Amino acid sequence: MASAFKRWSKRVVKHPEETVPIISSTAWAQGLFDHPTNKFGAYVLSLFPIVQWLPRYNFGWLSGDLIAGITVGMVVIPQGMSYAQLAGLTAEYGLYSSFVGVLFYCFFATSKDVSIGPVAVMSILVSQIINHVESQHPGVWTGPDIAAVLAVITGFITLGMGLLRIGWLVEFIPAPAVSGFMTGSAFTIATTQIPGLMGITGFSTRDPAYQVIINTLKNLGGTKLDAAWGITGLVSLYAIRYFCIWGTKRYPARARWFFFMSVMRNAFVIIVLTLASFLYNRKRLDPETGKYPIRILLTVPSGFKHVRPPPISTSLLSALGPKIPVATIILLLEHIAIAKSFGRLNGYKINPAQELIAIGVTNTVGSVFGAYPATGSFSRSALKSKCGVRTPAAGVVTAVVVIVALYGLTDAFFWIPMAGLSAVIIHAVADLMASPDQVYSYWRISPLEFLIWAAAVLITVFSSIENGIYTSVVASLVLLLVRLAHPRDSFLGKVTIHQGENGKGESRDVYLPLTKNGITNPHVKVTPPAEGVIIYRFEESYLYPNSSIPNSALVDEVKTKYRRGQDMTNVKPSDRPWNDYGKRRSGAEDQALNLQKPVLHAIVLDFSSVSHIDTTSVQALIDARREIEKWADHPVEFHFAPILSPWIHRALVAGGFGIGNSHSSIPFDLAAVVPYRDGTSFDEVTKGPPSDIESGGDTKEPASPKESESVLEPVVPTNTPFFHIDLASAVKAAESGVERVHDKN
């Protein structure tokens, strides 16, 4: 066994990547390394999660899916038409997006709760994009054509990201950034709907939110009869909501009835307002202008009247080019955030890459039906979850409800008041704004992220949603890079921790910063390491943006507190380095002060937080060692603990660290190894016990306790004596080396 370990130790130093255990034929037989065609088949199969749960579908799931699907369908119909108006399109396009979203998502979903369809933020962005393209190229393309091409392009991008399994990119945008632009967008949407709620016209509602507010206040005198429907509808929506909340608390036994009453409030209010609009407007058509006293939805085409391939052209793609990134970010970010949120809430895990495939396919196919970009809706997903949805098949039920409305109820949609749709939008987007408690939590947890949230909100309100998104994303990435480039570091000392009553139980040594860190008790005494030893902790991966920090910290610490090896007594000022300022003393005084400092022997680097290391950081470590040894005028030991990755091991050995002769008198750390019979090689042990396939069903009996008794081997290779399994071992080795050197002297 000892010889086998030595062979392994040598191989670790020369070729660390070879330390990975060799996979036996058992793994091959079990499919861990299947034939490429089988892997491709498994990959294709993974693109359709429906094949995993549909064969197990049962009537117990059906009831929950029916209730959730019908309920969401009753909500998505008025919302879809409202959001289409918000996007600058006619109402039927919202129904198209609603149908395609809920239907096709079912086949690719890894979330049972998410409902895809028109959403407020994407709708107002589509409106802004249509306005941008039409202002640059007036009369060339219609709004629906622009929206359909935008859907297919953003769908292709997200589909490609999903197929390449790079959905992890959305993780670079933190929750405060998402909340910031969602809050700003919700406020912007609400302000742009107030003129429609009041019937006020005469200015553009596509201006920044603050400008819309100013123009609305200036034109309050122009409020029309539409306000009777709009304000009544908005007040009714909130009244029903709060009545149901009160009723749930007052009569808990009837909580389910109040829940469904609250859910149906959008449909109920729209039906009542539509009936009132019909009764008031049916005999009041102005023959001269052809208009009714209030703005109503008018004709909504029945069925799918705009099914055709999207009119993709290079000129339209060029016009859309600057807006595609922001549309794609909203498409994937809002959906993934919602899917993850409900996955955590309901105890299952979503696949971000597969979710990107789902929204990619939905929008690509939807563009053929005339749909505009759709993504996950927070309000409808929450409703779906509360209704007890069991599988993504609930989306099929919702699609049936939308189809029924699209073919059978379009005549009734004629009389829907536009002010009522504005009320539905305002009521829906209000829930997207961050609550005061949530905002305060951002401030308490991370003030810098709170500033990102505030910046996203302010820029969205005073500029545009597009600029708000870019601001939040860029600021988040900058903060990430700053944290990576300027991590915390500290020099450590030892504290002995006692357990049990009155400290009479077990004790252990821990290592804490020598300076007060605001976390541990400031009155606890931290004992510095033995004279001549430095313990340094770096709390981040050691990469090129931060590689200069440990270099500067170690070199400055050594030059400030440790003895200079070269006697500078007789060195002329002209022979000193130009940047060696020093103090204006005589050479003898300099040397006297220098001799009062301890001699540096070893530096212990705590790598417990270092998971990655690169070429630049290794070179910085080499430069630090060279400069420190030049100052000390003798070799200095560099100890590392623990090494978390074989690549870190490889990189440090390549830089000349870890190997050599140590002054330590501490024996190597030993541990029990896998028991095996005589004659079995070390490589065979790393494979694990043979399988039934390898041995023909007759596996070897495990070694008895007597055979494995006292079989101990070093935990780390013996030819890297400066690599240790933990910090305590590294410090003991370094301090014992100091004692051994002093004894020799």
Side-chain angles (χ1 to χ4, degrees), residues 37 42 293 341 397 474 500 573 588 610 688:
T37 55
S341 174
V397 180
V474 172
V610 179

Short mmCIF file of all heavy atoms in Angstrom, two decimals, residues 37 42 293 341 397 474 500 573 588 610 688:
data_model
loop_
_atom_site.label_atom_id
_atom_site.label_comp_id
_atom_site.label_asym_id
_atom_site.label_seq_id
_atom_site.Cartn_x
_atom_site.Cartn_y
_atom_site.Cartn_z
N THR A 37 -24.72 8.51 -29.62
CA THR A 37 -26.09 8.56 -30.15
C THR A 37 -27.11 8.44 -29.03
O THR A 37 -28.17 9.06 -29.06
CB THR A 37 -26.29 7.43 -31.17
OG1 THR A 37 -25.96 6.18 -30.54
CG2 THR A 37 -25.40 7.63 -32.39
N ALA A 42 -31.02 11.05 -25.36
CA ALA A 42 -31.42 11.51 -24.03
C ALA A 42 -31.57 13.03 -24.01
O ALA A 42 -32.47 13.58 -23.34
CB ALA A 42 -30.39 11.07 -23.00
N PRO A 293 -70.39 58.17 -27.16
CA PRO A 293 -70.03 59.16 -26.12
C PRO A 293 -68.77 58.79 -25.33
O PRO A 293 -68.06 59.68 -24.86
CB PRO A 293 -71.26 59.17 -25.21
CG PRO A 293 -72.38 58.70 -26.08
CD PRO A 293 -71.78 57.72 -27.03
N SER A 341 -39.23 31.42 -8.39
CA SER A 341 -39.95 31.82 -7.18
C SER A 341 -41.02 30.79 -6.81
O SER A 341 -41.10 30.35 -5.66
CB SER A 341 -40.59 33.20 -7.40
OG SER A 341 -41.39 33.55 -6.30
N VAL A 397 -56.35 23.68 -20.62
CA VAL A 397 -57.70 24.08 -20.22
C VAL A 397 -57.87 25.59 -20.41
O VAL A 397 -58.90 26.05 -20.93
CB VAL A 397 -57.96 23.69 -18.75
CG1 VAL A 397 -59.36 24.12 -18.32
CG2 VAL A 397 -57.76 22.20 -18.55
N VAL A 474 -26.27 46.69 -15.76
CA VAL A 474 -24.86 47.14 -15.76
C VAL A 474 -24.38 47.42 -14.34
O VAL A 474 -23.27 47.04 -13.97
CB VAL A 474 -24.71 48.39 -16.66
CG1 VAL A 474 -23.30 48.97 -16.52
CG2 VAL A 474 -24.96 48.03 -18.12
N GLY A 500 -18.69 23.37 27.08
CA GLY A 500 -19.12 22.79 28.35
C GLY A 500 -19.28 23.86 29.41
O GLY A 500 -18.94 25.04 29.23
N PRO A 573 23.70 56.23 0.59
CA PRO A 573 22.40 56.65 0.06
C PRO A 573 22.31 56.49 -1.45
O PRO A 573 21.26 56.17 -1.99
CB PRO A 573 22.29 58.11 0.49
CG PRO A 573 23.14 58.21 1.70
CD PRO A 573 24.30 57.27 1.47
N ALA A 588 23.58 53.19 11.44
CA ALA A 588 23.62 52.44 12.70
C ALA A 588 22.26 52.44 13.37
O ALA A 588 21.80 51.42 13.91
CB ALA A 588 24.68 53.03 13.63
N VAL A 610 -10.76 29.99 -1.34
CA VAL A 610 -10.25 30.09 -2.70
C VAL A 610 -10.66 28.84 -3.47
O VAL A 610 -10.15 27.75 -3.22
CB VAL A 610 -8.71 30.24 -2.71
CG1 VAL A 610 -8.19 30.31 -4.14
CG2 VAL A 610 -8.31 31.48 -1.93
N GLY A 688 -13.23 1.40 -6.67
CA GLY A 688 -14.34 0.92 -5.85
C GLY A 688 -14.50 -0.58 -6.01
O GLY A 688 -13.82 -1.22 -6.82
#
